Amino acid sequence: MPTPDAVCILIPTYNEAETIADVVSDYRDEGFTNVLVIDGESTDGTRELAEDAGAHVVVQSGSGKGQAVREAVEDHVTAEYVLMLDGDGTYEATDATKMLDPLTEGYDHVIGDRFADMRSGAMTRLNRVGNRIINRAFAFIHGQDFRDILSGYRAFTRESFLDMTLTSDGFGIETEMAVECAKRDIKTTVVPTTYYPRPDGSDTNLDPIRDGGIIFLELYRRAKTNNPLFYFGSVGFASTATGVGLALYVAYEWVVRSVSHEVIAVVSMAGILFGVQLLMFGVLSDLILSLHREQMKRIEELE
């Protein structure tokens, strides 16, 4: 494991007064004195409690977890390694060692798998199902199985984080980081961690429907540069299938009832043409991406 003075414990917070003092104290008890809390202008005394527990507190200039994490790492973290977690008391401080160990073994990014030891009540059935669907969608779209891409427990080198292109301001930051790891071949591993339910009186800032939709859109949007065949092909397939369905309907009406649907026929043809063009564009884009990756790999081998 890296020495504690080479690690920054990064905790983005917003109204976590019920738990933040215990979280900071737990990591300081594990030997980590560099604890950075970046706060989204909490109104419940989170900042004061974090400072009293021994953390260095910074108020973020914008809003949202993603913006807070980017600002913290880019402007306030100087340590070589970062251990990022939520301030809600759901993660185990004693897991810090196994989260950080892989960083000294050649890995650049570590994801804590909450499903390895999820305690009763830690996640609702809806959230559990949603997480499973998102993780399978990620594996299908981006070709990597990180098991728990929405985990907020992350360890990474500051250098690898700065190599990522991250734009999300909200809870999509974890998804973006996972996509960037897959896209840029950042050496990533997954370790089992314990996940606890939020303590009584601690309310979640996550909306499962709204934020789940944002995450799915982020997965799809990021496929444009990491899996263009899926990105363009999915829309192309849907358009082609719709056009073929309309064409079959027009043909049935013409043969059985001798009724013509000229407008629907035109729409059907347009849908088929548009879909086929998108499919062809997806195949060409995928070929270009494959050639680009091969070329970059050869350049890296020469360096």
Side-chain angles (χ1 to χ4, degrees):
M1 185 185 83
T3 57
D5 59 355
V7 178
C8 175
I9 306 297
L10 174 60
I11 312 175
T13 59
Y14 180 71
N15 288 340
E16 301 287 4
E18 292 292 331
T19 55
I20 189 60
D22 289 337
V23 172
V24 173
S25 296
D26 287 345
Y27 282 90
R28 287 183 62 85
D29 289 344
E30 292 296 316
F32 299 99
T33 57
N34 184 4
V35 180
L36 172 63
V37 170
I38 183 159
D39 185 70
E41 297 190 2
S42 295
T43 58
D44 64 349
T46 294
R47 295 191 297 278
E48 293 77 11
L49 290 166
E51 285 181 342
D52 291 343
H56 173 56
V57 179
V58 175
V59 178
Q60 68 184 96
S61 61
S63 62
K65 182 178 181 180
Q67 192 277 335
V69 172
R70 294 199 311 273
E71 180 178 341
V73 177
E74 293 171 3
D75 300 337
H76 303 290
V77 173
T78 57
E80 183 179 359
Y81 304 104
V82 178
L83 180 62
M84 184 183 83
L85 58 134
D86 298 325
D88 54 8
T90 54
Y91 298 108
E92 179 63 74
T94 56
D95 284 339
T97 298
K98 62 181 177 181
M99 288 290 295
L100 291 165
D101 276 344
L103 298 181
T104 59
E105 298 168 0
Y107 289 98
D108 294 308
H109 196 95
V110 183
I111 300 173
D113 181 10
R114 299 169 296 171
F115 293 97
D117 183 18
M118 183 175 291
R119 302 301 171 88
S120 177
M123 190 178 291
T124 65
R125 180 173 295 182
L126 175 62
N127 284 347
R128 191 186 291 263
V129 171
N131 270 261
R132 294 294 190 189
I133 293 173
I134 288 171
N135 279 294
R136 292 191 178 185
F138 177 86
F140 176 75
I141 296 172
H142 297 284
Q144 295 276 1
D145 185 6
F146 293 149
R147 296 205 292 273
D148 189 10
I149 68 166
L150 302 185
S151 173
Y153 210 6
R154 305 287 181 111
F156 48 86
T157 62
R158 182 174 184 270
E159 182 181 0
S160 68
F161 183 91
L162 296 177
D163 285 339
M164 296 180 179
T165 302
L166 304 172
T167 59
S168 175
D169 287 336
F171 285 98
I173 184 68
E174 289 91 356
T175 303
E176 272 196 328
M177 292 171 74
V179 172
E180 285 293 296
C181 285
K183 176 182 175 180
R184 299 181 183 277
D185 290 326
I186 294 173
K187 199 169 182 183
T188 304
T189 189
V190 182
V191 300
T193 57
T194 303
Y195 189 62
Y196 294 99
R198 295 177 68 100
D200 293 337
S202 174
D203 297 324
T204 180
N205 297 314
L206 180 67
D207 184 301
I209 304 301
R210 180 198 64 205
D211 293 305
I214 291 173
I215 289 166
F216 269 114
L217 287 175
E218 185 62 30
L219 278 178
Y220 182 76
R221 185 177 71 86
R222 288 273 174 163
K224 177 171 59 178
T225 55
N226 198 40
N227 188 352
L229 181 58
F230 172 83
Y231 181 82
F232 294 105
S234 57
V235 179
F237 177 79
S239 179
T240 302
T242 300
V244 170
L246 291 173
L248 291 175
Y249 170 75
V250 171
Y252 174 82
E253 288 285 284
W254 173 258
V255 172
V256 176
R257 299 176 55 193
S258 298
V259 176
S260 60
H261 296 281
E262 289 85 356
V263 174
I264 297 178
V266 171
V267 172
S268 168
M269 184 58 64
I272 293 173
L273 290 174
F274 179 69
V276 170
Q277 286 178 334
L278 278 180
L279 287 169
M280 293 174 62
F281 189 75
V283 171
L284 290 173
S285 298
D286 190 67
L287 177 61
I288 292 171
L289 179 62
S290 297
L291 291 173
H292 171 73
R293 286 174 173 168
E294 184 178 345
Q295 197 68 21
M296 290 302 296
K297 185 176 180 180
R298 290 179 178 177
I299 292 173
E300 290 174 0
E301 290 174 351
L302 291 174
E303 292 179 348

